[in-house]
Short mmCIF file of all heavy atoms in Angstrom, two decimals:
data_model
loop_
_atom_site.label_atom_id
_atom_site.label_comp_id
_atom_site.label_asym_id
_atom_site.label_seq_id
_atom_site.Cartn_x
_atom_site.Cartn_y
_atom_site.Cartn_z
N ILE A 149 2.92 21.38 -59.94
CA ILE A 149 3.37 20.55 -58.80
C ILE A 149 4.21 21.48 -57.95
O ILE A 149 5.23 21.96 -58.42
CB ILE A 149 4.21 19.38 -59.38
CG1 ILE A 149 3.34 18.49 -60.22
CG2 ILE A 149 4.72 18.56 -58.17
CD1 ILE A 149 4.11 17.35 -60.85
N SER A 150 3.80 21.70 -56.72
CA SER A 150 4.32 22.73 -55.86
C SER A 150 4.35 22.38 -54.44
O SER A 150 3.52 21.56 -53.97
CB SER A 150 3.49 24.06 -56.04
OG SER A 150 3.83 25.02 -55.10
N ASN A 151 5.27 22.92 -53.64
CA ASN A 151 5.25 22.70 -52.19
C ASN A 151 4.34 23.68 -51.48
O ASN A 151 4.12 23.57 -50.26
CB ASN A 151 6.67 22.76 -51.62
CG ASN A 151 7.37 24.06 -51.78
OD1 ASN A 151 6.78 25.15 -51.70
ND2 ASN A 151 8.67 24.09 -51.89
N GLY A 152 3.74 24.61 -52.23
CA GLY A 152 2.71 25.52 -51.64
C GLY A 152 3.20 26.55 -50.64
O GLY A 152 2.43 27.28 -50.06
N SER A 153 4.53 26.61 -50.46
CA SER A 153 5.02 27.49 -49.36
C SER A 153 4.99 28.93 -49.66
O SER A 153 5.17 29.77 -48.76
CB SER A 153 6.45 27.04 -49.08
OG SER A 153 7.30 27.22 -50.14
N LEU A 154 4.78 29.24 -50.95
CA LEU A 154 4.82 30.70 -51.39
C LEU A 154 3.43 31.23 -51.81
O LEU A 154 3.36 32.28 -52.35
CB LEU A 154 5.83 30.87 -52.52
CG LEU A 154 7.25 30.39 -52.20
CD1 LEU A 154 8.13 30.49 -53.49
CD2 LEU A 154 7.88 31.19 -51.15
N VAL A 155 2.42 30.48 -51.45
CA VAL A 155 1.04 30.88 -51.81
C VAL A 155 0.64 32.20 -51.20
O VAL A 155 -0.24 32.88 -51.73
CB VAL A 155 0.06 29.75 -51.48
CG1 VAL A 155 -1.38 30.19 -51.59
CG2 VAL A 155 0.29 28.55 -52.36
N HIS A 156 1.27 32.60 -50.12
CA HIS A 156 0.91 33.93 -49.47
C HIS A 156 1.29 35.08 -50.27
O HIS A 156 0.82 36.18 -50.12
CB HIS A 156 1.59 34.00 -48.10
CG HIS A 156 3.09 33.92 -48.18
ND1 HIS A 156 3.77 32.69 -48.29
CD2 HIS A 156 4.04 34.86 -48.18
CE1 HIS A 156 5.05 32.98 -48.32
NE2 HIS A 156 5.26 34.31 -48.31
N LYS A 157 2.18 34.89 -51.35
CA LYS A 157 2.66 36.01 -52.16
C LYS A 157 1.61 36.36 -53.25
O LYS A 157 0.98 35.48 -53.84
CB LYS A 157 3.98 35.60 -52.88
CG LYS A 157 5.10 35.31 -51.90
CD LYS A 157 6.39 34.91 -52.69
CE LYS A 157 6.90 36.01 -53.61
NZ LYS A 157 8.17 35.67 -54.26
N ALA A 158 1.50 37.69 -53.45
CA ALA A 158 0.47 38.14 -54.39
C ALA A 158 0.68 37.66 -55.80
O ALA A 158 -0.23 37.30 -56.48
CB ALA A 158 0.46 39.72 -54.38
N THR A 159 1.98 37.60 -56.24
CA THR A 159 2.25 37.09 -57.62
C THR A 159 1.88 35.61 -57.74
O THR A 159 1.39 35.21 -58.84
CB THR A 159 3.74 37.26 -57.94
OG1 THR A 159 4.54 36.60 -56.91
CG2 THR A 159 4.15 38.68 -58.05
N VAL A 160 2.10 34.85 -56.71
CA VAL A 160 1.75 33.41 -56.74
C VAL A 160 0.19 33.26 -56.83
O VAL A 160 -0.33 32.46 -57.62
CB VAL A 160 2.33 32.62 -55.59
CG1 VAL A 160 1.83 31.18 -55.64
CG2 VAL A 160 3.84 32.70 -55.64
N GLN A 161 -0.47 34.04 -56.03
CA GLN A 161 -1.93 33.96 -56.03
C GLN A 161 -2.58 34.37 -57.39
O GLN A 161 -3.48 33.78 -57.87
CB GLN A 161 -2.53 34.84 -54.87
CG GLN A 161 -2.22 34.30 -53.52
CD GLN A 161 -2.92 35.11 -52.36
OE1 GLN A 161 -3.84 35.84 -52.63
NE2 GLN A 161 -2.34 35.00 -51.21
N GLU A 162 -1.90 35.43 -57.95
CA GLU A 162 -2.42 35.82 -59.28
C GLU A 162 -2.14 34.70 -60.30
O GLU A 162 -3.02 34.43 -61.13
CB GLU A 162 -1.71 37.10 -59.72
CG GLU A 162 -2.06 37.61 -61.12
CD GLU A 162 -3.59 37.87 -61.29
OE1 GLU A 162 -4.23 38.19 -60.31
OE2 GLU A 162 -4.05 37.74 -62.39
N GLY A 163 -0.99 34.04 -60.26
CA GLY A 163 -0.68 32.97 -61.17
C GLY A 163 -1.69 31.79 -60.96
O GLY A 163 -2.12 31.22 -61.92
N LEU A 164 -2.02 31.47 -59.69
CA LEU A 164 -2.90 30.41 -59.40
C LEU A 164 -4.34 30.78 -59.96
O LEU A 164 -5.05 29.89 -60.43
CB LEU A 164 -2.99 30.11 -57.92
CG LEU A 164 -1.79 29.51 -57.36
CD1 LEU A 164 -1.94 29.38 -55.80
CD2 LEU A 164 -1.48 28.14 -57.94
N ARG A 165 -4.71 32.05 -59.78
CA ARG A 165 -6.05 32.47 -60.26
C ARG A 165 -6.13 32.27 -61.81
O ARG A 165 -7.12 31.79 -62.31
CB ARG A 165 -6.23 33.93 -59.91
CG ARG A 165 -7.63 34.48 -60.13
CD ARG A 165 -7.82 35.89 -59.63
NE ARG A 165 -7.74 35.94 -58.16
CZ ARG A 165 -6.61 36.44 -57.48
NH1 ARG A 165 -5.66 36.92 -58.15
NH2 ARG A 165 -6.70 36.42 -56.16
N ARG A 166 -5.07 32.64 -62.49
CA ARG A 166 -5.04 32.45 -63.93
C ARG A 166 -4.98 30.99 -64.32
O ARG A 166 -5.62 30.56 -65.26
CB ARG A 166 -3.79 33.21 -64.56
CG ARG A 166 -3.84 34.70 -64.36
CD ARG A 166 -2.58 35.31 -65.01
NE ARG A 166 -2.45 36.71 -64.62
CZ ARG A 166 -1.48 37.54 -65.06
NH1 ARG A 166 -0.59 37.08 -65.92
NH2 ARG A 166 -1.48 38.75 -64.66
N TRP A 167 -4.23 30.23 -63.53
CA TRP A 167 -4.16 28.75 -63.74
C TRP A 167 -5.54 28.14 -63.60
O TRP A 167 -5.94 27.30 -64.40
CB TRP A 167 -3.19 28.20 -62.75
CG TRP A 167 -2.68 26.77 -62.95
CD1 TRP A 167 -2.83 25.71 -62.14
CD2 TRP A 167 -1.87 26.32 -64.03
NE1 TRP A 167 -2.19 24.63 -62.65
CE2 TRP A 167 -1.60 24.98 -63.84
CE3 TRP A 167 -1.42 26.94 -65.21
CZ2 TRP A 167 -0.86 24.19 -64.73
CZ3 TRP A 167 -0.61 26.19 -66.09
CH2 TRP A 167 -0.35 24.82 -65.83
N GLY A 168 -6.26 28.59 -62.57
CA GLY A 168 -7.64 28.03 -62.40
C GLY A 168 -8.58 28.40 -63.55
O GLY A 168 -9.40 27.53 -63.93
N LYS A 169 -8.44 29.59 -64.07
CA LYS A 169 -9.29 29.91 -65.22
C LYS A 169 -8.96 29.12 -66.49
O LYS A 169 -9.87 28.94 -67.29
CB LYS A 169 -9.07 31.45 -65.50
CG LYS A 169 -9.71 32.37 -64.49
CD LYS A 169 -9.53 33.85 -64.85
CE LYS A 169 -10.18 34.78 -63.86
NZ LYS A 169 -9.99 36.18 -64.17
N LEU A 170 -7.77 28.64 -66.57
CA LEU A 170 -7.38 27.74 -67.65
C LEU A 170 -7.89 26.31 -67.43
O LEU A 170 -7.73 25.49 -68.42
CB LEU A 170 -5.87 27.71 -67.84
CG LEU A 170 -5.19 28.98 -68.45
CD1 LEU A 170 -3.67 28.83 -68.42
CD2 LEU A 170 -5.71 29.31 -69.89
N GLY A 171 -8.39 26.03 -66.30
CA GLY A 171 -8.80 24.64 -65.89
C GLY A 171 -7.65 23.90 -65.30
O GLY A 171 -7.72 22.66 -65.13
N GLY A 172 -6.57 24.56 -64.93
CA GLY A 172 -5.44 23.90 -64.36
C GLY A 172 -5.65 23.51 -62.89
O GLY A 172 -6.45 24.13 -62.15
N LYS A 173 -4.91 22.46 -62.45
CA LYS A 173 -4.99 22.02 -61.04
C LYS A 173 -3.63 22.08 -60.45
O LYS A 173 -2.58 22.14 -61.18
CB LYS A 173 -5.59 20.61 -61.01
CG LYS A 173 -4.84 19.54 -61.80
CD LYS A 173 -5.62 18.24 -61.89
CE LYS A 173 -5.00 17.29 -62.92
NZ LYS A 173 -5.81 16.04 -63.12
N MET A 174 -3.62 22.12 -59.13
CA MET A 174 -2.43 22.16 -58.32
C MET A 174 -2.24 20.91 -57.48
O MET A 174 -3.18 20.48 -56.85
CB MET A 174 -2.44 23.40 -57.45
CG MET A 174 -1.18 23.59 -56.57
SD MET A 174 -1.42 25.07 -55.48
CE MET A 174 0.19 25.31 -54.83
N TRP A 175 -1.06 20.33 -57.59
CA TRP A 175 -0.69 19.22 -56.69
C TRP A 175 0.14 19.86 -55.56
O TRP A 175 1.26 20.22 -55.75
CB TRP A 175 0.07 18.11 -57.40
CG TRP A 175 -0.80 17.33 -58.31
CD1 TRP A 175 -2.14 17.44 -58.50
CD2 TRP A 175 -0.37 16.25 -59.12
NE1 TRP A 175 -2.53 16.56 -59.43
CE2 TRP A 175 -1.50 15.76 -59.85
CE3 TRP A 175 0.84 15.62 -59.38
CZ2 TRP A 175 -1.43 14.72 -60.73
CZ3 TRP A 175 0.91 14.55 -60.30
CH2 TRP A 175 -0.19 14.12 -60.94
N PHE A 176 -0.47 20.01 -54.38
CA PHE A 176 0.11 20.71 -53.25
C PHE A 176 0.82 19.71 -52.35
O PHE A 176 0.14 18.83 -51.78
CB PHE A 176 -1.08 21.46 -52.53
CG PHE A 176 -0.66 22.49 -51.55
CD1 PHE A 176 -0.93 23.79 -51.70
CD2 PHE A 176 0.02 22.12 -50.33
CE1 PHE A 176 -0.58 24.76 -50.73
CE2 PHE A 176 0.34 23.05 -49.42
CZ PHE A 176 0.11 24.36 -49.60
N LYS A 177 2.10 19.86 -52.21
CA LYS A 177 2.86 18.89 -51.38
C LYS A 177 2.54 18.99 -49.93
O LYS A 177 2.68 20.05 -49.32
CB LYS A 177 4.37 19.16 -51.60
CG LYS A 177 5.26 18.10 -50.83
CD LYS A 177 6.72 18.56 -50.90
CE LYS A 177 7.33 18.61 -52.25
NZ LYS A 177 7.45 17.20 -52.83
N VAL A 178 2.10 17.86 -49.34
CA VAL A 178 1.91 17.75 -47.92
C VAL A 178 2.42 16.39 -47.49
O VAL A 178 1.74 15.37 -47.48
CB VAL A 178 0.45 17.94 -47.42
CG1 VAL A 178 0.34 17.82 -45.94
CG2 VAL A 178 -0.18 19.24 -47.91
N ASP A 179 3.76 16.33 -47.15
CA ASP A 179 4.36 15.05 -46.74
C ASP A 179 4.18 14.86 -45.26
O ASP A 179 4.37 13.71 -44.77
CB ASP A 179 5.81 15.06 -47.11
CG ASP A 179 6.08 15.11 -48.61
OD1 ASP A 179 5.24 14.51 -49.33
OD2 ASP A 179 7.09 15.60 -49.00
N SER A 180 3.87 15.89 -44.55
CA SER A 180 3.63 15.80 -43.11
C SER A 180 2.69 16.91 -42.65
O SER A 180 2.66 17.99 -43.24
CB SER A 180 4.94 15.87 -42.32
OG SER A 180 4.76 15.94 -40.94
N ALA A 181 1.91 16.64 -41.60
CA ALA A 181 1.02 17.63 -41.06
C ALA A 181 1.54 18.21 -39.70
O ALA A 181 0.81 18.81 -38.98
CB ALA A 181 -0.34 17.14 -40.89
N THR A 182 2.83 17.86 -39.38
CA THR A 182 3.40 18.32 -38.12
C THR A 182 4.62 19.21 -38.40
O THR A 182 5.32 18.99 -39.45
CB THR A 182 3.78 17.21 -37.20
OG1 THR A 182 4.98 16.47 -37.75
CG2 THR A 182 2.63 16.22 -37.06
N ASP A 183 4.94 20.09 -37.46
CA ASP A 183 6.15 20.90 -37.60
C ASP A 183 7.40 20.06 -37.68
O ASP A 183 8.30 20.31 -38.53
CB ASP A 183 6.28 21.91 -36.44
CG ASP A 183 5.17 22.98 -36.46
OD1 ASP A 183 4.46 23.11 -37.52
OD2 ASP A 183 4.96 23.63 -35.40
N ALA A 184 7.46 19.04 -36.82
CA ALA A 184 8.66 18.22 -36.78
C ALA A 184 8.81 17.44 -38.10
O ALA A 184 9.90 17.28 -38.61
CB ALA A 184 8.55 17.26 -35.59
N GLY A 185 7.69 16.98 -38.56
CA GLY A 185 7.76 16.17 -39.86
C GLY A 185 8.22 17.02 -41.04
O GLY A 185 8.97 16.58 -41.85
N LEU A 186 7.62 18.21 -41.10
CA LEU A 186 7.99 19.12 -42.19
C LEU A 186 9.52 19.49 -42.16
O LEU A 186 10.13 19.56 -43.20
CB LEU A 186 7.20 20.37 -42.13
CG LEU A 186 5.74 20.34 -42.55
CD1 LEU A 186 5.01 21.61 -42.20
CD2 LEU A 186 5.65 20.08 -44.08
N GLU A 187 10.07 19.58 -40.96
CA GLU A 187 11.47 19.88 -40.83
C GLU A 187 12.31 18.71 -41.13
O GLU A 187 13.38 18.74 -41.82
CB GLU A 187 11.78 20.44 -39.46
CG GLU A 187 13.11 21.18 -39.37
CD GLU A 187 13.26 22.31 -40.38
OE1 GLU A 187 12.28 22.96 -40.64
OE2 GLU A 187 14.37 22.51 -40.89
N ARG A 188 11.86 17.51 -40.67
CA ARG A 188 12.69 16.29 -40.89
C ARG A 188 12.64 15.85 -42.31
O ARG A 188 13.71 15.49 -42.84
CB ARG A 188 12.10 15.18 -39.99
CG ARG A 188 12.82 13.82 -40.07
CD ARG A 188 12.26 12.86 -39.12
NE ARG A 188 10.85 12.57 -39.25
CZ ARG A 188 9.86 12.98 -38.50
NH1 ARG A 188 10.11 13.76 -37.44
NH2 ARG A 188 8.60 12.71 -38.81
N ILE A 189 11.49 15.90 -42.99
CA ILE A 189 11.35 15.40 -44.36
C ILE A 189 11.73 16.44 -45.43
O ILE A 189 12.40 16.15 -46.40
CB ILE A 189 9.96 14.86 -44.57
CG1 ILE A 189 9.62 13.73 -43.59
CG2 ILE A 189 9.78 14.45 -46.05
CD1 ILE A 189 8.17 13.34 -43.58
N ASN A 190 11.20 17.65 -45.22
CA ASN A 190 11.32 18.68 -46.28
C ASN A 190 12.31 19.80 -45.97
O ASN A 190 12.57 20.57 -46.86
CB ASN A 190 9.93 19.34 -46.49
CG ASN A 190 8.83 18.32 -46.72
OD1 ASN A 190 7.92 18.21 -45.93
ND2 ASN A 190 8.92 17.57 -47.80
N ASN A 191 12.87 19.84 -44.74
CA ASN A 191 13.67 20.96 -44.38
C ASN A 191 13.06 22.29 -44.83
O ASN A 191 13.60 23.09 -45.55
CB ASN A 191 15.07 20.84 -45.02
CG ASN A 191 15.89 19.68 -44.41
OD1 ASN A 191 16.59 19.83 -43.45
ND2 ASN A 191 15.79 18.51 -45.03
N ALA A 192 11.74 22.39 -44.42
CA ALA A 192 10.88 23.40 -45.02
C ALA A 192 10.99 24.76 -44.50
O ALA A 192 10.72 25.77 -45.14
CB ALA A 192 9.41 22.93 -44.89
N GLY A 193 11.33 24.94 -43.20
CA GLY A 193 11.35 26.25 -42.61
C GLY A 193 10.00 26.90 -42.57
O GLY A 193 9.89 28.14 -42.67
N ILE A 194 8.95 26.12 -42.45
CA ILE A 194 7.57 26.65 -42.42
C ILE A 194 6.78 25.80 -41.45
O ILE A 194 7.03 24.60 -41.32
CB ILE A 194 6.89 26.65 -43.83
CG1 ILE A 194 5.65 27.34 -43.84
CG2 ILE A 194 6.74 25.21 -44.34
CD1 ILE A 194 4.99 27.57 -45.27
N SER A 195 5.87 26.37 -40.72
CA SER A 195 5.05 25.63 -39.81
C SER A 195 3.92 24.90 -40.51
O SER A 195 3.47 25.27 -41.62
CB SER A 195 4.50 26.58 -38.75
OG SER A 195 3.50 27.42 -39.34
N ALA A 196 3.39 23.88 -39.87
CA ALA A 196 2.26 23.17 -40.38
C ALA A 196 1.05 24.03 -40.47
O ALA A 196 0.27 23.94 -41.40
CB ALA A 196 1.95 21.94 -39.53
N ALA A 197 0.92 24.96 -39.52
CA ALA A 197 -0.26 25.90 -39.51
C ALA A 197 -0.19 26.78 -40.74
O ALA A 197 -1.19 27.09 -41.38
CB ALA A 197 -0.21 26.70 -38.23
#
Side-chain angles (χ1 to χ4, degrees):
I149 301 178
S150 169
N151 63 33
S153 63
L154 302 175
V155 168
H156 60 279
K157 296 179 63 175
T159 54
V160 177
Q161 291 184 21
E162 178 57 29
L164 291 177
R165 190 174 292 108
R166 297 180 191 183
W167 195 240
K169 287 181 179 178
L170 289 174
K173 55 192 171 185
M174 180 184 192
W175 288 358
F176 191 116
K177 183 191 295 291
V178 181
D179 294 330
S180 173
T182 70
D183 292 346
L186 285 169
E187 197 55 36
R188 180 174 61 254
I189 298 169
N190 308 116
N191 292 274
I194 189 173
S195 70

